[in-house]
Amino acid sequence: MIKDSHTHHISQQFNAELEEVRSHLLEMGGLVEKQVNDAVTALIEADSGLAQRVREVDDRINQMERNIDEECLRILARRQPAASDLRLIISISKSVIDLERIGDESTKIARRAIQLCEEGESPRGYVEVRHISDQVSKMVRDALDSFARFDADLALSVAQYDKNIDREYKTALRELVTYMMEDPRSISRVLNVIWVLRSLERIGDHARNISELVIYLVRGTDVRHLGLKRMQEEVKGLTAERINVLDAPDDK
Amino acid sequence: MIKDSHTHHISQQFNAELEEVRSHLLEMGGLVEKQVNDAVTALIEADSGLAQRVREVDDRINQMERNIDEECLRILARRQPAASDLRLIISISKSVIDLERIGDESTKIARRAIQLCEEGESPRGYVEVRHISDQVSKMVRDALDSFARFDADLALSVAQYDKNIDREYKTALRELVTYMMEDPRSISRVLNVIWVLRSLERIGDHARNISELVIYLVRGTDVRHLGLKRMQEEVKGLTAERINVLDAPDDK
């Protein structure tokens, strides 16, 4: 195609649109990250006002999801992106689902925080919650940073981190079951803490999903369900070859 | 555009590709539906062999997800679908995520079934599991049928049904907490049943997500996060107007 000023103008505008939808995703990510932190703080500091605000912000996150979806749809319909541009749109439209679910899990934590506030007296398990939530927050932040910087290595480290969370979650669960056995009257309150831990573990899973999408975006390989070892090989190894296959003119 | 034989040929082939990817989605859906039923049967009939097979089949489901994703990507890149064709591809590529997660939850149920088999002696809560699983299976089946028949009314009924599941899940949970309090030695085994119920409740959520995508596909309206009443209005009411907006030539 001849690069006349018209085409040049269109491609500039197209790039601006891609950049805009990506920045909207990162903005939504920033808000979701704050929701996770606020929900856990509300729980640990028994701040039901903060928990209530987390629940209210969820509507904004849902709206952001809809807006980003519409942007992606518009770009697909009007710009007909190919190769890496298409991968970007696909990665954004899938990441947005995970971000919205992280928002949902934060709202669930906030709801438990309100229940636990009403019941007064801080139950067992908050040390574990704080510990796991610190790590999960880091995963969410790193997953978003890897998206912002197209950094497949950082994305890989998020996926590797998820294994730790799963292990620590299981350890915490065992301890909480012991508490319940020792003091059956605490069962329903300790269960609330278990639900919080489970939400955190799921948030970790969603961060991992996002990091897999970043690897797909940057490396052109679908690394889901591959296992960490194969995933590492894909990120560190076969890079150039794979990208060539996916960006080949035949793909358009 | 002039409908010459070449264009006609391309559009026939395009339709065949769309039909094919849709049939692959429904095929995956059928397998996933079977996984849910097999996992619950394995649990209730203490059939660890069946539970093991559920875990093995999960690989096939993951592979189906990857294949369908690739098909969608290829169609987006080569055919540049617009309007309702684009909505079909978007709905398929999102539904496939929910189907894969329903598969994951079935595998989790199968894992619990194996644990509970090993521990012997059937614990409390199986009546509730059977009851809720029957309803959740129906939701999954109806969600897939609504996709097969482009039936927005059936899809709406799936979303409405999800509210029942949530209510029954909460009732069952309260009963199981009472069991645990009465017999603290049963705590870790009853917890296994609680995890199963939670997986079933999530499967219901995923079926609801799929039904929302069907409404989007058929009616052209994004009904997520709208609440049942608004969703009903969208399905029963404003139909024609919305479709016109979305399929307007400007959208291409």
Side-chain angles (χ1 to χ4, degrees):
Chain A
M1 199 186 286
I2 301 152
K3 265 264 177 214
D4 62 13
S5 77
H6 178 65
T7 329
H8 184 66
H9 176 70
I10 285 183
S11 102
Q12 260 192 337
Q13 205 178 318
F14 179 26
N15 282 337
E17 282 173 26
L18 288 176
E19 204 32 65
E20 201 180 340
V21 64
R22 196 170 76 99
S23 82
H24 288 160
L25 180 85
L26 294 173
E27 191 189 328
M28 179 179 172
L31 187 57
V32 163
E33 193 189 324
K34 187 172 177 314
Q35 288 282 88
V36 178
N37 294 330
D38 284 354
V40 172
T41 303
L43 177 82
I44 301 210
E45 296 179 0
D47 183 343
S48 62
L50 183 59
Q52 194 50 46
R53 281 200 295 287
V54 169
R55 297 182 65 179
E56 285 157 12
V57 168
D58 196 49
D59 275 347
R60 251 177 73 205
I61 289 175
N62 294 341
Q63 191 55 51
M64 284 169 137
E65 182 191 19
R66 295 167 72 107
N67 293 347
I68 292 171
D69 265 352
E70 273 174 31
E71 279 182 87
C72 287
L73 196 68
R74 218 178 302 128
I75 291 176
L76 283 174
R78 293 191 187 167
R79 302 292 184 185
Q80 297 148 355
S84 66
D85 294 338
L86 181 55
R87 282 208 304 274
L88 178 62
I89 293 298
I90 297 289
S91 303
I92 288 174
S93 73
K94 291 196 172 192
S95 294
V96 102
I97 299 175
D98 287 298
L99 285 179
E100 192 269 337
R101 304 253 161 103
I102 294 177
D104 277 353
E105 297 296 340
S106 305
T107 313
K108 284 182 195 168
I109 295 174
R111 214 179 304 140
R112 302 283 167 196
I114 292 172
Q115 276 177 26
L116 287 162
C117 282
E118 282 166 3
E119 291 172 4
E121 184 190 345
S122 83
R124 306 265 208 157
Y126 277 12
V127 177
E128 288 83 352
V129 168
R130 171 56 81 195
H131 180 64
I132 293 186
S133 77
D134 284 346
Q135 298 180 67
V136 166
S137 289
K138 184 178 155 42
M139 280 180 74
V140 174
R141 198 166 53 243
D142 285 353
L144 290 166
D145 280 354
S146 73
F147 212 125
R149 295 191 251 134
F150 298 113
D151 184 341
D153 291 301
L154 184 58
L156 177 65
S157 78
V158 172
Q160 287 166 330
Y161 216 79
D162 192 36
K163 258 201 133 61
N164 294 346
I165 305 281
D166 288 350
R167 201 171 38 231
E168 299 203 12
Y169 165 70
K170 275 175 193 153
T171 309
L173 213 61
R174 268 196 298 272
E175 275 174 42
L176 290 171
V177 169
T178 311
Y179 293 156
M180 287 198 282
M181 286 180 178
E182 285 168 357
D183 179 12
R185 286 163 310 168
S186 73
I187 287 176
S188 77
R189 291 171 58 232
V190 174
L191 260 184
N192 269 331
V193 180
I194 289 182
W195 297 135
V196 169
L197 287 176
R198 190 150 179 102
S199 286
L200 288 171
E201 188 255 350
R202 293 201 76 91
I203 292 174
D205 287 344
H206 289 298
R208 183 193 162 124
N209 291 345
I210 294 173
S211 73
E212 288 173 348
L213 288 165
V214 172
I215 293 173
Y216 165 70
L217 169 61
V218 179
R219 294 288 194 248
T221 321
D222 182 351
V223 294
R224 291 171 302 177
H225 319 300
L226 277 194
L228 278 179
K229 200 165 162 284
R230 287 274 320 273
M231 195 189 285
Q232 197 169 4
E233 285 166 11
E234 292 290 340
V235 172
K236 305 289 184 192
L238 311 163
T239 325
E241 188 191 337
R242 290 300 174 119
I243 284 197
N244 287 345
V245 171
L246 265 147
D247 288 345
D250 174 68
D251 212 30
K252 174 71 215 244
Chain B
M1 200 185 286
I2 301 153
K3 266 261 178 215
D4 62 14
S5 77
H6 178 66
T7 329
H8 183 65
H9 176 70
I10 285 183
S11 100
Q12 260 191 337
Q13 205 179 319
F14 179 25
N15 283 336
E17 283 174 24
L18 288 177
E19 204 33 65
E20 201 180 338
V21 64
R22 196 169 76 97
S23 81
H24 287 160
L25 181 85
L26 294 173
E27 191 189 327
M28 179 180 174
L31 187 57
V32 163
E33 193 189 324
K34 187 171 177 315
Q35 288 283 88
V36 178
N37 294 330
D38 285 354
V40 172
T41 303
L43 177 82
I44 300 209
E45 297 179 0
D47 183 343
S48 62
L50 183 59
Q52 193 50 45
R53 281 200 295 286
V54 169
R55 296 181 66 180
E56 285 157 13
V57 167
D58 196 49
D59 275 347
R60 250 177 74 202
I61 290 176
N62 294 340
Q63 191 55 50
M64 285 169 134
E65 182 191 20
R66 295 166 72 107
N67 293 347
I68 293 171
D69 265 352
E70 273 174 30
E71 279 182 86
C72 287
L73 195 68
R74 218 177 303 127
I75 291 176
L76 284 173
R78 293 191 186 165
R79 302 292 184 187
Q80 298 149 355
S84 66
D85 294 338
L86 181 55
R87 282 207 304 274
L88 177 62
I89 294 297
I90 297 290
S91 303
I92 289 174
S93 74
K94 291 195 172 191
S95 294
V96 101
I97 299 175
D98 287 297
L99 286 178
E100 192 271 336
R101 305 253 161 102
I102 294 176
D104 276 353
E105 298 296 340
S106 305
T107 313
K108 284 183 195 167
I109 294 173
R111 214 179 302 139
R112 302 283 167 197
I114 291 171
Q115 274 177 27
L116 286 161
C117 282
E118 283 167 2
E119 291 171 5
E121 185 192 345
S122 82
R124 307 264 207 157
Y126 277 12
V127 177
E128 288 84 350
V129 168
R130 171 57 82 195
H131 179 64
I132 294 187
S133 77
D134 283 346
Q135 298 181 67
V136 166
S137 289
K138 185 178 153 43
M139 280 180 72
V140 174
R141 197 166 53 243
D142 285 353
L144 290 166
D145 279 353
S146 73
F147 212 125
R149 295 191 250 136
F150 297 115
D151 184 341
D153 292 301
L154 184 58
L156 177 65
S157 77
V158 172
Q160 287 165 330
Y161 216 81
D162 192 37
K163 258 203 133 62
N164 294 346
I165 305 281
D166 289 349
R167 200 170 40 232
E168 299 203 12
Y169 165 70
K170 275 177 194 153
T171 309
L173 213 60
R174 267 195 299 273
E175 275 174 43
L176 290 171
V177 169
T178 311
Y179 294 155
M180 287 198 282
M181 286 181 178
E182 285 168 358
D183 179 10
R185 286 163 311 167
S186 73
I187 287 177
S188 77
R189 290 169 60 230
V190 175
L191 261 183
N192 269 330
V193 180
I194 289 183
W195 297 136
V196 169
L197 286 176
R198 187 147 180 107
S199 285
L200 289 171
E201 188 255 349
R202 293 201 75 91
I203 292 174
D205 287 345
H206 289 298
R208 182 192 162 124
N209 291 344
I210 294 173
S211 73
E212 289 173 349
L213 288 165
V214 172
I215 294 173
Y216 164 71
L217 169 60
V218 180
R219 294 288 194 248
T221 322
D222 182 352
V223 294
R224 290 172 302 177
H225 318 301
L226 278 194
L228 277 179
K229 198 164 163 286
R230 285 276 318 276
M231 195 189 284
Q232 196 169 6
E233 286 167 10
E234 292 290 339
V235 173
K236 305 288 184 195
L238 311 164
T239 325
E241 189 191 336
R242 290 300 173 116
I243 284 197
N244 289 345
V245 171
L246 265 149
D247 289 343
D250 176 64
D251 213 30
K252 173 68 216 242

